[in-house]
Amino acid sequence: MAAAARDLSLVSQLGVAGSRVPALGKCGVHFLKKGRRANVGFKVRAAVQLGSENENATTKPLEKTLGMDVVSEVGLREKGFMGLRKTKLVCTIGPACSSLNDLEKLALAGMNVARLNMCHGSRDWHRDVIRKIKMLNEEKGFSVSVMIDTEGSQIHVVDHGAPSSLKVEEDSIWRFTAKNSEGSRPFTVQANHERFSEGVEVGDEVVIDGGMACFVVVEKTGNDLHCKCIDPGLFLPGAKFSFWRDGKLVRRNHKLPTLTTKDWADIDFGISEEVDFFALSFVNHADSVEQLKNYLSTKSTRSIKVLAKIESLESLHNLKEIVQASDGIMVARGDLGVEIPLEQIPTVQEDIIYICRQLNKPVIVASQLLESMVEYPTPTRAEVADVSEAVRQYADALMLSGESAIGSYGQKALSVLEMTSTRIESWAREENRQSLLSQYQLGVSLPDRTAEQICNCAVEMANNLGVDAIFVYTKHGYMATLLSRNRPNPPIFAFTKEESTIMSLNLHWGVVPFQVDLSDDTESNISKSIKFMKSKGLIMHGDVVLVVSDVVPTRATPIASQSIQVKTVV
């Protein structure tokens, strides 16, 4: 089975010429000058000793004004700055890992974001999971963000007769129906859409989850389909299915809305439960993303981020506009692999990651990373190579789906992502693979363009000087994301007082967020954070940090300024 689709050159959509690995221009002496235009200035200070002044002064208890999640704290203490994993990890929560104990184990193993798929489970079940995660964050010191994934208009399985995965045997006959059957009905599959079989003909193929199993339609009775298995495999709960004829996708649901009535109800539920992200399924145009963001701005005072899932050929054609409208992207390779030839998936994935970095949007690589671990405790070597490639491409995050939601080895699967990510990141540093992007300018105003240049230059300095860490002080996290965009060798510690900023930064590569009550005094903020980390044994004599700060104009300091400082702890 093959789809007829033309080759896609996604990078050209940006209008950015040149190589993918260009060298950023060296920071010149002009960065030492202070600009006066538009009341914006920037400056570089170097080799400042920090930590010895007034060490015995009485201060407010630091633990009450600063906070770091317990997993990052333990990791920093045990592994040091360069040992911290930079690629973020997303776990889909399902019946196999929804207990309080299992959620805590996933958090301890490195889960940064918990994903809830609204295709499965009741809202009461999802509410229970969300509240367990929030309780763990509050009582155990974790900082796990919550993402809700909308169901969308895709046709999928409601029930296939088993509570978990089901093996499909060759030549077995199955009935696909939209009718709700009472009791157990072997070889009966219930679809979620009453007109799911509209336009389907005898002889068409029914493909499960992009190729997990395949049937051919042998009889059509009303809206019901009687199908014979021609490619045996695994039938997962909630599996999506598509229809093919003569090697081409049968397009039948193109008029269905991106957000259904159920999706809007799920979104209101997510707002009431104060989730951190919405992942929007089957986005084909930027309009649906903007519609949801406008809705959230009127319904919630919290900053809830909207991610667009790229899983169709049409979404690739409108990729730049979708990325620009979104707060992040999920590369849903399973559904995407149904719509474009399989051999195009690797290059399309790399192009999407590259474009997201150019436009400064976090990107998650999802679907079938460790699919064999749904049933087996050890991944295939090919799966580990696939994970390694996504890390090598500098994806912001990797996501487990069925591996954690319904698999027997979810925690082992997460540990595979953790170990593989850490190893490949270390190898990339050893091989000096880190490279700065060609500068696709995002900002229009002088302050925004200045912030970009400051962060680009800061990363180059940090790599060249071999500093231990980058500190950034930020309210909404923007400068932290600009630093992350350039994938520096040292970790980025983002100090902010906004909880929503901390939760959103959990999805950005290399960023470790701290909660801190920032003041208008930059030097006071720096001194406070250094003292806190020293008190925890997280930083010590001789460590060198590069500090990036963004000072907002106040009555006391009417001139806005961004600065880079290099400080040595004494």
Side-chain angles (χ1 to χ4, degrees):
M1 180 179 63
R6 61 187 177 85
D7 285 339
L8 302 167
S9 180
L10 302 179
V11 175
S12 63
Q13 294 184 35
L14 277 173
V16 180
S19 167
R20 293 188 184 185
V21 194
L24 178 70
K26 298 291 182 182
C27 297
V29 69
H30 61 280
F31 276 99
L32 298 174
K33 300 177 181 178
K34 184 177 289 188
R36 296 183 179 270
R37 267 180 84 186
N39 286 336
V40 177
F42 47 94
K43 54 199 173 184
V44 174
R45 303 176 190 167
V48 178
Q49 302 291 318
L50 183 73
S52 60
E53 68 277 8
N54 200 20
E55 287 287 356
N56 296 320
T58 302
T59 60
K60 190 177 180 180
L62 295 170
E63 288 78 1
K64 294 183 180 180
T65 56
L66 297 103
M68 181 186 195
D69 77 279
V70 65
V71 177
S72 296
E73 182 176 330
V74 171
L76 180 56
R77 186 174 288 112
E78 292 181 351
K79 302 176 184 178
F81 290 107
M82 291 302 173
L84 290 177
R85 168 179 45 83
K86 297 182 171 65
T87 306
K88 301 304 178 74
L89 305 180
V90 183
C91 295
T92 302
I93 307 303
C97 63
S98 59
S99 72
L100 189 65
N101 184 51
D102 286 332
L103 290 170
E104 182 174 356
K105 287 179 179 178
L106 289 175
L108 284 169
M111 174 176 65
N112 301 108
V113 179
R115 169 184 175 252
L116 296 171
N117 189 347
M118 300 308 290
C119 289
H120 315 296
S122 66
R123 290 196 188 106
D124 286 340
W125 183 88
H126 289 293
R127 181 182 293 108
D128 179 63
V129 171
I130 292 170
R131 293 184 179 181
K132 285 175 181 173
I133 293 168
K134 290 182 179 293
M135 183 176 72
L136 287 171
N137 285 347
E138 184 175 346
E139 295 182 1
K140 301 286 188 175
F142 298 118
S143 181
V144 177
S145 303
V146 177
M147 175 191 298
I148 275 185
D149 197 320
T150 64
E151 183 174 323
S153 299
Q154 177 77 357
I155 295 172
H156 65 84
V157 173
V158 174
D159 183 21
H160 62 13
S164 59
S165 60
L166 193 65
K167 288 188 177 180
V168 182
E169 302 294 338
E170 189 171 6
D171 294 332
S172 57
I173 303 296
W174 292 68
R175 175 182 171 231
F176 289 72
T177 180
K179 298 174 184 176
N180 184 11
S181 303
E182 294 293 335
S184 177
R185 290 285 188 92
F187 303 102
T188 299
V189 177
Q190 183 188 345
N192 70 320
H193 197 281
E194 62 181 11
R195 295 189 298 172
F196 80 100
S197 62
E198 197 171 87
V200 178
E201 302 173 358
V202 172
D204 288 350
E205 293 182 1
V206 185
V207 179
I208 307 301
D209 277 342
M212 295 291 286
C214 188
F215 299 81
V216 63
V217 179
V218 295
E219 183 183 350
K220 184 175 181 180
T221 307
N223 288 328
D224 291 359
L225 302 176
H226 297 272
C227 304
K228 177 181 178 181
C229 177
I230 55 176
D231 283 331
L234 201 61
F235 216 144
L236 300 178
K240 298 170 185 174
F241 49 91
S242 55
F243 298 92
W244 291 74
R245 183 180 303 145
D246 300 325
K248 295 182 180 179
L249 189 68
V250 179
R251 299 185 180 277
R252 305 163 308 101
N253 64 335
H254 60 280
K255 293 182 180 179
L256 295 177
T258 299
L259 287 165
T260 65
T261 302
K262 178 183 182 298
D263 291 333
W264 285 113
D266 289 337
I267 287 165
D268 286 335
F269 163 76
I271 294 171
S272 68
E273 293 300 318
E274 298 187 338
V275 302
D276 305 296
F277 300 96
F278 284 109
L280 193 54
S281 296
F282 304 105
V283 176
N284 291 326
H285 305 280
D287 293 349
S288 55
V289 177
E290 293 167 348
Q291 181 186 15
L292 177 54
K293 292 182 74 172
N294 291 336
Y295 182 79
L296 293 175
S297 68
T298 63
K299 294 292 183 178
S300 175
T301 56
R302 298 179 71 255
S303 176
I304 304 177
K305 303 300 182 182
V306 177
L307 309 181
K309 295 172 68 177
I310 303 300
E311 46 196 336
S312 69
L313 182 62
E314 190 173 359
S315 66
L316 293 179
H317 293 323
N318 300 309
L319 183 64
K320 180 185 176 184
E321 291 75 17
I322 293 172
V323 175
Q324 288 176 321
S326 305
D327 298 312
I329 293 295
M330 183 187 297
V331 188
R333 303 181 305 175
D335 290 300
L336 189 59
V338 174
E339 300 225 348
I340 67 174
L342 294 176
E343 67 272 13
Q344 290 189 17
I345 292 293
T347 54
V348 166
Q349 172 182 305
E350 186 167 11
D351 283 344
I352 294 173
I353 293 171
Y354 179 77
I355 289 172
C356 287
R357 282 188 63 194
Q358 286 279 6
L359 297 177
N360 195 30
K361 302 296 174 73
V363 55
I364 305 169
V365 173
S367 304
Q368 302 171 339
L369 284 171
L370 300 171
E371 190 72 19
S372 69
M373 293 192 74
V374 171
E375 291 195 286
Y376 301 103
T378 305
T380 68
R381 277 50 180 171
E383 288 171 335
V384 174
D386 178 41
V387 171
S388 300
E389 180 62 12
V391 177
R392 188 197 64 79
Q393 293 170 2
Y394 289 111
D396 287 88
L398 306 174
M399 191 180 95
L400 295 176
S401 298
E403 302 97 326
S404 56
I406 61 172
S408 301
Y409 307 100
Q411 292 166 33
K412 286 188 176 181
L414 185 60
S415 70
V416 171
L417 294 188
E418 162 78 29
M419 291 185 295
T420 305
S421 299
T422 303
R423 178 65 191 94
I424 297 302
E425 290 164 6
S426 174
W427 169 80
R429 288 193 300 270
E430 292 167 2
E431 297 293 319
N432 198 26
R433 299 278 175 149
Q434 191 277 347
S435 60
L436 298 170
L437 288 171
S438 59
Q439 295 313 303
Y440 180 81
Q441 183 175 296
L442 298 169
V444 176
S445 66
L446 180 59
D448 285 346
R449 287 188 284 119
T450 302
E452 281 184 56
Q453 289 299 319
I454 283 285
C455 290
N456 296 339
C457 191
V459 169
E460 186 176 20
M461 288 178 62
N463 291 341
N464 290 342
L465 295 174
V467 303
D468 295 293
I470 299 174
F471 285 9
V472 58
Y473 298 84
T474 176
K475 181 177 182 180
H476 300 296
Y478 184 60
M479 291 192 77
T481 69
L482 288 173
L483 291 165
S484 170
R485 174 195 189 201
N486 285 294
R487 305 301 195 252
N489 287 331
I492 303 161
F493 292 90
F495 297 90
T496 179
K497 65 179 180 180
E498 302 292 334
E499 183 182 359
S500 60
T501 299
I502 289 174
M503 291 306 183
S504 68
L505 290 176
N506 276 336
L507 207 53
H508 287 267
W509 188 97
V511 179
V512 181
F514 270 80
Q515 190 162 20
V516 53
D517 187 13
L518 295 174
S519 69
D520 295 332
D521 186 341
T522 301
E523 293 303 317
S524 173
N525 290 334
I526 297 171
S527 178
K528 183 193 300 182
S529 55
I530 291 286
K531 287 178 181 177
F532 169 76
M533 295 187 73
K534 286 180 69 176
S535 72
K536 292 280 190 177
L538 304 177
I539 197 168
M540 57 193 67
H541 173 79
D543 287 341
V544 179
V545 298
L546 186 144
V547 181
V548 179
S549 59
D550 189 359
V551 179
V552 179
T554 63
R555 286 186 178 180
T557 56
I559 297 179
S561 66
Q562 288 102 359
S563 67
I564 304 174
Q565 304 177 48
V566 179
K567 292 184 176 283
T568 303
V569 179
V570 296

